[in-house]
């Protein structure tokens, strides 16, 4: 496998469910990110992990909980979500400190909260 | 706080036309600038990256330029094809390299 892999591709969950999104990067990058993309809105940065340490949390509701067990894996744990949380969730990785390397994105998880 | 704006929001052209997509950013202290393509319901595919010290990058029919002093970048697509239809996103990386700020994108339709 190469690049950034996200699973599952599609997820439908009820408001009382608990689920997790998974992201894995095979690029040897040292930073990983979660972005949210809602209809008709720019991509919103949710969380940043650099060298496995969370360095940014953009006022994201506590019903979203990230986990980065190592530099290659990133999870987004979801619980008691709201319908407005339905969106495309994108994972990305980059090599911080190297201006010649950009971000690589996964294919995303399309989340629908019912 | 960095803000990125893309004009136009949507563009429809006949096949074969050369076209220019525009991107502007408010803080010129950027690390690099990246152009992405997004097909409906899919993730982002990186097209071109321009480091802050560079003026342009080329890949095939694509050419991206960067003018930090004026806070602008352009993506030039030569001889457009229906397969180029997608949303094109511009994103600026802050100087630490860990935050990427996106524009709202330009939705391009190339008609056969």
């Amino acid at each position: 496998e190469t690049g950034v892999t996200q699973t599952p591709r599609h997820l439908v969950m009820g408001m009382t469910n608990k689920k997790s999104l998974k992201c894995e990067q095979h690029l040897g990058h040292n930073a990983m990110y979660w972005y949210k993309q809602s209809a008709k809105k720019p991509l919103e940065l949710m969380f940043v992990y650099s060298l496995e340490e969370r360095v940014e949390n953009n006022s994201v509701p506590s019903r979203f909980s990230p986990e980065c067990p190592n530099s290659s894996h990133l999870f987004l744990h979801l619980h008691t979500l709201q319908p407005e949380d339905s969106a495309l969730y994108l994972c990305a990785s980059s090599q911080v400190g190297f201006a010649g390397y950009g971000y690589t994105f996964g294919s995303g998880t399309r989340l629908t909260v019912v | 706080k960095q803000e990125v704006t893309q004009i136009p929001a949507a563009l429809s052209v006949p096949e074969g036309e050369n076209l220019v997509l525009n991107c502007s950013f408010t803080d010129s202290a950027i690390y690099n600038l990246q152009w992405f393509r997004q097909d409906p319901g899919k993730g982002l595919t990186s097209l071109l990256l321009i480091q802050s010290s560079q003026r342009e990058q080329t890949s095939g029919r694509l050419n991206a330029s960067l003018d930090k002093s004026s806070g602008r970048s352009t993506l030039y697509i030569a001889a457009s094809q229906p397969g180029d239809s997608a949303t094109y996103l511009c994103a600026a990386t802050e100087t630490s390299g860990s935050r990427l700020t996106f524009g709202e994108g330009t939705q391009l339709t190339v008609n056969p």
Side-chain angles (χ1 to χ4, degrees), chain A residues 8-10 12 15 20-21 31 34 41 46-47 49 51 57 64 66 69 94-95 105 108 114:
Chain A
R9 294 294 304 274
H10 300 273
V12 179
M15 290 191 285
S20 296
L21 309 184
W34 281 115
K41 294 174 71 174
M46 300 177 72
F47 301 103
Y49 277 85
L51 300 175
N57 174 353
F64 295 90
S94 74
Q95 187 68 4
F105 280 80
V114 298

Side-chain angles (χ1 to χ4, degrees), chain A:
Chain A
E1 291 245 31
T2 59
V4 178
T5 304
Q6 287 187 246
T7 55
R9 294 294 304 274
H10 300 273
L11 178 63
V12 179
M13 59 186 288
M15 290 191 285
T16 59
N17 292 159
K18 290 185 180 182
K19 296 286 185 182
S20 296
L21 309 184
K22 179 182 176 182
C23 177
E24 184 174 0
Q25 60 101 355
H26 309 272
L27 301 167
H29 286 168
N30 59 13
M32 296 186 76
Y33 312 81
W34 281 115
Y35 279 85
K36 175 183 178 182
Q37 187 176 37
S38 304
K40 308 296 184 184
K41 294 174 71 174
L43 276 86
E44 302 171 58
L45 178 63
M46 300 177 72
F47 301 103
V48 179
Y49 277 85
S50 181
L51 300 175
E52 302 168 38
E53 179 181 348
R54 187 195 308 181
V55 297
E56 186 158 349
N57 174 353
N58 274 359
S59 302
V60 178
S62 59
R63 57 185 182 269
F64 295 90
S65 174
E67 178 189 3
C68 187
N70 55 60
S71 61
S72 299
H73 294 85
L74 184 65
F75 295 89
L76 187 62
H77 303 300
L78 316 171
H79 65 96
T80 59
L81 295 190
Q82 304 298 312
E84 61 264 28
D85 297 322
S86 298
L88 181 66
Y89 289 85
L90 292 163
C91 173
S93 69
S94 74
Q95 187 68 4
V96 176
F98 292 86
Y101 292 89
Y103 279 48
T104 301
F105 280 80
S107 298
T109 295
R110 171 68 63 187
L111 173 66
T112 303
V113 181
V114 298

